[in-house]
Coordinates of all heavy atoms in Angstrom, one line a residue:
G9 N 20.7 24.4 29.8 CA 19.6 23.7 30.5 C 18.3 24.0 29.8 O 17.4 23.2 29.7
F10 N 18.1 25.3 29.5 CA 16.8 25.7 28.9 C 16.6 25.1 27.5 O 15.6 24.6 27.2 CB 16.8 27.3 28.7 CG 15.6 27.8 28.0 CD1 14.4 27.8 28.6 CD2 15.8 28.2 26.7 CE1 13.3 28.2 27.9 CE2 14.7 28.7 26.0 CZ 13.4 28.7 26.5
Y11 N 17.7 25.0 26.7 CA 17.6 24.4 25.4 C 17.4 22.9 25.5 O 16.6 22.4 24.7 CB 18.8 24.8 24.6 CG 18.9 26.2 24.2 CD1 19.9 27.0 24.8 CD2 18.0 26.8 23.4 CE1 20.0 28.4 24.5 CE2 18.1 28.2 23.1 CZ 19.1 28.9 23.7 OH 19.2 30.3 23.4
L12 N 18.0 22.3 26.5 CA 17.8 20.9 26.7 C 16.4 20.6 27.1 O 15.8 19.6 26.6 CB 18.8 20.4 27.7 CG 18.8 18.9 27.9 CD1 19.2 18.1 26.6 CD2 19.8 18.5 29.0
A13 N 15.8 21.4 27.9 CA 14.4 21.2 28.3 C 13.4 21.4 27.2 O 12.5 20.7 27.0 CB 14.1 22.2 29.5
V14 N 13.7 22.4 26.4 CA 12.8 22.7 25.2 C 13.0 21.5 24.2 O 12.0 21.1 23.7 CB 13.2 24.0 24.5 CG1 12.5 24.2 23.2 CG2 12.8 25.2 25.4
F15 N 14.2 21.1 24.0 CA 14.4 19.9 23.1 C 13.7 18.7 23.6 O 13.1 17.9 22.8 CB 15.9 19.7 22.9 CG 16.2 18.5 22.0 CD1 16.0 18.6 20.6 CD2 16.6 17.3 22.5 CE1 16.2 17.6 19.8 CE2 16.9 16.2 21.7 CZ 16.7 16.4 20.3
G16 N 13.7 18.5 24.9 CA 13.0 17.3 25.5 C 11.5 17.4 25.3 O 10.8 16.4 25.0
L17 N 11.0 18.6 25.5 CA 9.5 18.8 25.3 C 9.1 18.6 23.9 O 8.0 18.0 23.6 CB 9.1 20.2 25.8 CG 9.1 20.4 27.3 CD1 8.8 21.9 27.7 CD2 8.1 19.5 28.0
I18 N 9.9 19.1 23.0 CA 9.6 18.9 21.5 C 9.7 17.4 21.2 O 8.8 16.9 20.5 CB 10.5 19.7 20.7 CG1 10.2 21.2 20.8 CG2 10.4 19.3 19.2 CD1 11.2 22.1 20.2
G19 N 10.6 16.7 21.7 CA 10.7 15.3 21.5 C 9.6 14.5 22.0 O 9.0 13.6 21.4
L20 N 9.1 14.9 23.3 CA 8.0 14.2 23.9 C 6.7 14.5 23.1 O 5.9 13.6 22.9 CB 7.9 14.7 25.3 CG 6.8 14.1 26.2 CD1 7.1 12.6 26.4 CD2 6.7 14.8 27.5
L21 N 6.6 15.7 22.6 CA 5.4 16.1 21.8 C 5.4 15.2 20.5 O 4.4 14.7 20.1 CB 5.4 17.6 21.5 CG 4.3 18.1 20.6 CD1 2.9 17.9 21.3 CD2 4.5 19.5 20.2
F22 N 6.5 15.1 19.9 CA 6.6 14.3 18.6 C 6.3 12.9 18.9 O 5.5 12.3 18.1 CB 8.1 14.4 18.1 CG 8.3 13.6 16.8 CD1 7.7 14.0 15.6 CD2 9.0 12.4 16.9 CE1 7.9 13.2 14.5 CE2 9.2 11.7 15.8 CZ 8.7 12.1 14.6
I23 N 6.8 12.3 19.9 CA 6.5 10.9 20.2 C 5.1 10.7 20.6 O 4.4 9.7 20.1 CB 7.4 10.4 21.4 CG1 8.9 10.3 20.9 CG2 7.0 9.1 21.9 CD1 9.9 10.1 22.0
S24 N 4.5 11.6 21.3 CA 3.0 11.5 21.6 C 2.2 11.6 20.4 O 1.2 10.9 20.3 CB 2.6 12.5 22.7 OG 2.8 13.8 22.2
I25 N 2.5 12.5 19.5 CA 1.8 12.6 18.2 C 1.9 11.3 17.4 O 0.9 10.8 16.9 CB 2.2 13.8 17.4 CG1 1.8 15.1 18.1 CG2 1.7 13.7 16.0 CD1 2.4 16.3 17.4
M26 N 3.1 10.7 17.4 CA 3.2 9.4 16.7 C 2.4 8.3 17.3 O 1.9 7.5 16.6 CB 4.7 9.1 16.6 CG 5.6 10.0 15.8 SD 5.1 10.1 14.1 CE 5.6 8.6 13.5
V27 N 2.3 8.3 18.6 CA 1.5 7.2 19.3 C 0.1 7.4 19.0 O -0.7 6.4 18.7 CB 1.8 7.2 20.8 CG1 0.8 6.4 21.5 CG2 3.2 6.8 21.1
V28 N -0.4 8.6 19.0 CA -1.8 8.9 18.7 C -2.2 8.5 17.2 O -3.2 7.9 17.0 CB -2.2 10.4 19.0 CG1 -3.6 10.8 18.4 CG2 -2.1 10.7 20.5
V29 N -1.3 8.9 16.3 CA -1.5 8.6 14.9 C -1.5 7.0 14.7 O -2.3 6.5 14.0 CB -0.5 9.2 14.0 CG1 -0.5 8.7 12.6 CG2 -0.7 10.7 14.0
F30 N -0.6 6.3 15.4 CA -0.6 4.9 15.3 C -1.9 4.3 15.8 O -2.4 3.4 15.2 CB 0.6 4.4 16.1 CG 0.7 2.9 16.1 CD1 1.1 2.2 15.0 CD2 0.4 2.2 17.3 CE1 1.2 0.8 15.0 CE2 0.5 0.8 17.3 CZ 0.8 0.1 16.2
Q31 N -2.4 4.8 16.9 CA -3.6 4.2 17.5 C -4.8 4.5 16.6 O -5.7 3.6 16.4 CB -3.9 4.8 18.9 CG -2.9 4.4 19.9 CD -3.0 2.9 20.2 OE1 -4.1 2.3 20.1 NE2 -1.9 2.3 20.5
I32 N -4.9 5.7 16.0 CA -6.0 6.0 15.0 C -5.9 5.1 13.8 O -6.9 4.6 13.3 CB -5.9 7.5 14.7 CG1 -6.3 8.3 15.9 CG2 -6.9 7.8 13.5 CD1 -6.1 9.8 15.7
S33 N -4.7 4.9 13.3 CA -4.5 4.1 12.1 C -4.8 2.6 12.4 O -5.3 1.9 11.5 CB -3.1 4.2 11.5 OG -2.2 3.6 12.4
R34 N -4.6 2.1 13.6 CA -5.0 0.8 13.9 C -6.5 0.6 14.0 O -7.0 -0.5 13.6 CB -4.5 0.4 15.3 CG -3.0 0.3 15.4 CD -2.4 -1.0 14.9 NE -3.1 -2.2 15.4 CZ -2.6 -3.1 16.1 NH1 -1.3 -3.1 16.4 NH2 -3.3 -4.2 16.5
R35 N -7.3 1.6 14.4 CA -8.7 1.5 14.4 C -9.4 1.8 13.1 O -10.6 1.5 12.9 CB -9.2 2.6 15.4 CG -9.0 2.1 16.8 CD -9.8 3.0 17.8 NE -8.8 3.4 18.8 CZ -8.6 4.6 19.3 NH1 -9.3 5.6 18.8 NH2 -7.8 4.8 20.3
A36 N -8.6 2.3 12.1 CA -9.2 2.6 10.8 C -9.6 1.3 10.1 O -9.0 0.3 10.2 CB -8.2 3.4 9.9
N37 N -10.7 1.4 9.3 CA -11.2 0.3 8.6 C -11.2 0.7 7.1 O -12.3 1.0 6.6 CB -12.6 -0.1 9.1 CG -13.0 -1.4 8.5 OD1 -12.2 -2.2 7.9 ND2 -14.3 -1.8 8.7
P38 N -10.1 0.6 6.4 CA -10.1 1.0 5.0 C -10.8 0.0 4.1 O -10.8 -1.2 4.4 CB -8.6 1.1 4.6 CG -8.0 0.1 5.6 CD -8.8 0.2 6.8
V39 N -11.4 0.5 3.0 CA -12.1 -0.3 2.1 C -11.3 -0.2 0.7 O -11.2 0.9 0.2 CB -13.6 0.2 1.9 CG1 -14.2 -0.6 0.8 CG2 -14.3 0.1 3.2
M40 N -10.8 -1.3 0.3 CA -10.1 -1.3 -1.0 C -11.1 -1.4 -2.1 O -12.1 -2.2 -2.1 CB -9.2 -2.5 -1.1 CG -8.1 -2.5 0.1 SD -7.1 -1.1 0.1 CE -6.1 -1.4 -1.3
L41 N -10.9 -0.6 -3.2 CA -11.8 -0.6 -4.3 C -11.1 -1.1 -5.5 O -9.9 -1.0 -5.7 CB -12.3 0.9 -4.6 CG -13.0 1.6 -3.4 CD1 -13.3 3.0 -3.8 CD2 -14.2 0.9 -3.0
D42 N -11.9 -1.7 -6.4 CA -11.4 -2.2 -7.7 C -11.4 -1.1 -8.7 O -11.7 0.1 -8.4 CB -12.1 -3.5 -8.2 CG -13.6 -3.3 -8.4 OD1 -14.0 -2.1 -8.3 OD2 -14.2 -4.3 -8.7
D43 N -11.1 -1.4 -10.0 CA -11.1 -0.4 -11.0 C -12.4 0.3 -11.3 O -12.5 1.4 -11.7 CB -10.6 -1.0 -12.3 CG -9.1 -1.4 -12.2 OD1 -8.4 -0.9 -11.4 OD2 -8.7 -2.3 -13.0
Q44 N -13.5 -0.4 -11.0 CA -14.8 0.1 -11.2 C -15.4 0.8 -10.0 O -16.5 1.3 -10.0 CB -15.8 -1.0 -11.7 CG -15.6 -1.4 -13.1 CD -14.5 -2.3 -13.3 OE1 -14.2 -3.1 -12.4 NE2 -13.8 -2.3 -14.4
G45 N -14.7 0.8 -8.9 CA -15.1 1.5 -7.7 C -15.9 0.6 -6.7 O -16.5 1.1 -5.8
R46 N -16.0 -0.7 -7.0 CA -16.7 -1.6 -6.1 C -15.8 -2.1 -5.0 O -14.6 -2.3 -5.3 CB -17.2 -2.8 -6.9 CG -18.3 -2.4 -7.9 CD -18.9 -3.6 -8.6 NE -17.8 -4.3 -9.3 CZ -17.7 -4.4 -10.6 NH1 -18.7 -3.8 -11.4 NH2 -16.8 -5.0 -11.2
P47 N -16.3 -2.2 -3.8 CA -15.4 -2.7 -2.7 C -15.0 -4.1 -2.9 O -15.8 -5.0 -3.4 CB -16.4 -2.6 -1.5 CG -17.6 -1.9 -1.9 CD -17.6 -1.9 -3.4
Q48 N -13.8 -4.4 -2.6 CA -13.2 -5.8 -2.7 C -13.1 -6.4 -1.3 O -12.9 -5.7 -0.4 CB -11.8 -5.7 -3.3 CG -11.7 -5.4 -4.8 CD -10.3 -5.5 -5.3 OE1 -9.4 -5.1 -4.6 NE2 -10.2 -6.1 -6.5
P49 N -13.4 -7.7 -1.3 CA -13.2 -8.3 0.0 C -11.8 -8.4 0.5 O -10.9 -8.7 -0.3 CB -13.8 -9.7 -0.2 CG -13.7 -10.0 -1.7 CD -13.8 -8.6 -2.3
T50 N -11.5 -7.9 1.7 CA -10.2 -7.9 2.2 C -10.2 -8.7 3.6 O -11.2 -8.7 4.2 CB -9.7 -6.5 2.5 OG1 -10.6 -5.8 3.3 CG2 -9.5 -5.8 1.1
S51 N -9.1 -9.2 4.0 CA -8.9 -9.8 5.3 C -8.1 -9.0 6.2 O -7.1 -8.4 5.8 CB -8.3 -11.2 5.1 OG -7.0 -11.0 4.6
R52 N -8.6 -8.8 7.4 CA -7.9 -8.0 8.4 C -6.8 -8.9 9.0 O -7.1 -10.0 9.4 CB -8.8 -7.5 9.5 CG -9.4 -6.2 9.2 CD -10.2 -5.7 10.4 NE -9.3 -5.0 11.3 CZ -9.4 -3.7 11.6 NH1 -10.4 -3.0 11.0 NH2 -8.6 -3.1 12.4

Side-chain angles (χ1 to χ4, degrees):
F10 173 74
Y11 294 112
L12 186 61
V14 170
F15 180 73
L17 288 174
I18 290 172
L20 186 63
L21 178 67
F22 176 74
I23 290 171
S24 62
I25 289 172
M26 294 300 288
V27 168
V28 168
V29 168
F30 176 74
Q31 292 296 326
I32 291 171
S33 68
R34 292 281 311 243
R35 284 189 227 133
N37 190 13
V39 177
M40 302 301 288
L41 303 177
D42 61 5
D43 292 336
Q44 285 77 34
R46 293 185 297 251
Q48 288 186 319
T50 57
S51 63
R52 268 187 88 116

